[in-house]
Amino acid sequence: MSISENKRVLGISAAFLAAFAGLGYVGFSQHSACEEATKKLNDLSDNISAMADAEYAPSQAIQKELTAANKTLAAQKEAMKAQFASYPALCDAKPLTSPEFQARLRTLNEKLTAAAKEKGCEIAAAARDLGMSTLLRDTPQADMVPLLTFQLEAINGLENHVVAAGAARLDKVFCAPLPDPKEAAKAAKKLDILGRKYFPVDMELAFTAKSGTLTTALNSIMNDKQVFYIITGLAIKNDTALQPMDDALGKQPDAIPTTQSAEAAGGQAAQPAVPVAKQIAGLDGEQARVHLTVRALYFVPEPAKTSKK
């Protein structure tokens, strides 16, 4: 491969890498591993882009440098593919029939209810049946079942992450209406990750969080290995007025001197006063209402492979 061809491949690959890295890390994560991985990908992309844009005089040294960079990029992409491989697995599973889907819905709902009871998490009426109450009564159309099955698994996983994190109550669940399967497949033709076409499935979850719940839940959601979640919106509201600082710490003096005078200090140098106020966060019993909007990626199933005779 010539140097100019190498540069073209590197430029295209770098653009792809940057686009995927941006999508893959959209959302919330406090893990240093994610931050480190993002930095490595960005640095690699910047380096390769700079090499691709530069003008080189043909030489064996430059050829070796470009070849080495290309191999590094290929290795990074293969590593990303390995991490990505688990996400399409759920979508590639054998499709359920309509009765099987309803049975799966009942089973997951029962398990979630039991898990919530064990964790002391209340499930409000608007959050029952995983937001799919009508599908327990009405048998879904057969061609809708694959998308519905994925939506069920995604909302179930989302709610379980929140319950396991210690939420006080699941307040409301909303599953966005799904389009006709043909329309979804048509839309998916314009969207792909590492060669897999996908369709976005949107959902919302409102819950009451206790101190520490939200961070734990968000980290858990963003590290899910079965469903590719993207958090598209987050709202937090506290309806209860914050406890006054004096009540939390005990009554404090009305006036706090910032320094001692030289006279008060016996002619010595002025000394700073001891600070009284302290930062108070996460008081026991404090709760907040959280509203999450989430997008899960449904990967269009791979066509069945036929064996050659």
Side-chain angles (χ1 to χ4, degrees), residues 65-85:
E65 187 177 349
L66 289 172
T67 300
N70 202 15
K71 288 182 178 179
T72 300
L73 179 60
Q76 292 286 343
K77 288 172 64 176
E78 288 302 316
M80 291 167 65
K81 283 184 179 180
Q83 292 184 341
F84 172 74

Side-chain angles (χ1 to χ4, degrees), residues 164-293:
R169 182 174 63 251
L170 299 180
D171 296 306
K172 190 173 183 178
V173 179
F174 173 73
C175 295
L178 296 173
D180 179 272
K182 292 181 179 179
E183 292 299 320
K186 184 178 179 181
K189 289 182 179 180
K190 301 178 182 178
L191 304 168
D192 76 85
I193 297 177
L194 293 174
R196 286 302 300 265
K197 303 296 182 182
Y198 70 88
F199 179 79
V201 176
D202 295 328
M203 56 200 68
E204 299 181 31
L205 174 61
F207 62 95
T208 301
K210 295 181 286 189
S211 178
T213 297
L214 182 57
T215 301
T216 302
L218 292 176
N219 280 327
S220 181
I221 292 167
M222 296 310 296
N223 283 283
D224 191 289
K225 298 303 181 185
Q226 295 297 311
V227 179
F228 196 117
Y229 292 109
I230 300 173
I231 295 175
T232 56
L234 170 62
I236 306 172
K237 183 178 181 181
N238 190 336
D239 291 329
T240 304
L242 293 178
Q243 188 177 11
M245 187 70 75
D246 285 352
D247 292 344
L249 294 175
K251 184 66 177 176
Q252 305 298 333
D254 293 332
I256 305 295
T258 56
T259 61
Q260 286 181 305
S261 65
E263 292 79 10
Q268 299 177 357
Q271 300 292 323
V274 177
V276 175
K278 296 164 63 178
Q279 181 67 37
I280 299 299
L283 298 175
D284 291 341
E286 184 179 353
Q287 296 184 347
R289 290 193 298 164
V290 180
H291 189 158
L292 283 179
T293 58

Side-chain angles (χ1 to χ4, degrees), residues 15-171:
F16 165 82
L17 178 63
F20 181 81
L23 176 60
Y25 290 101
V26 167
F28 173 91
S29 180
Q30 292 184 334
H31 289 300
S32 60
C34 288
E35 295 175 356
E36 182 179 353
T38 303
K39 186 177 184 304
K40 286 182 178 179
L41 288 172
N42 289 337
D43 289 345
L44 178 62
S45 177
D46 291 342
N47 290 341
I48 292 176
S49 295
M51 293 174 67
D53 292 337
E55 294 295 333
Y56 298 103
S59 69
Q60 288 186 349
I62 292 298
Q63 181 69 33
K64 288 181 179 179
E65 187 177 349
L66 289 172
T67 300
N70 202 15
K71 288 182 178 179
T72 300
L73 179 60
Q76 292 286 343
K77 288 172 64 176
E78 288 302 316
M80 291 167 65
K81 283 184 179 180
Q83 292 184 341
F84 172 74
S86 64
Y87 292 110
L90 184 65
C91 304
D92 288 333
K94 181 182 178 182
L96 302 179
T97 63
S98 295
E100 287 172 340
F101 167 80
Q102 289 180 305
R104 178 69 174 164
L105 172 54
R106 292 189 185 92
T107 298
L108 292 181
N109 187 47
E110 290 171 359
K111 289 183 177 180
L112 176 64
T113 302
K117 183 178 181 180
E118 182 178 348
K119 295 286 289 186
C121 176
E122 179 187 350
I123 300 180
R128 291 174 186 166
D129 301 328
L130 295 159
M132 296 185 171
S133 299
T134 56
L135 293 172
L136 285 174
R137 302 189 303 268
D138 306 327
T139 304
Q141 298 178 10
D143 61 347
M144 289 294 297
V145 170
L147 259 178
L148 284 171
T149 300
F150 173 76
Q151 188 178 50
L152 168 61
E153 298 292 342
I155 193 63
N156 175 68
L158 186 64
E159 291 192 61
N160 271 281
H161 283 303
V162 171
V163 169
R169 182 174 63 251
L170 299 180
D171 296 306

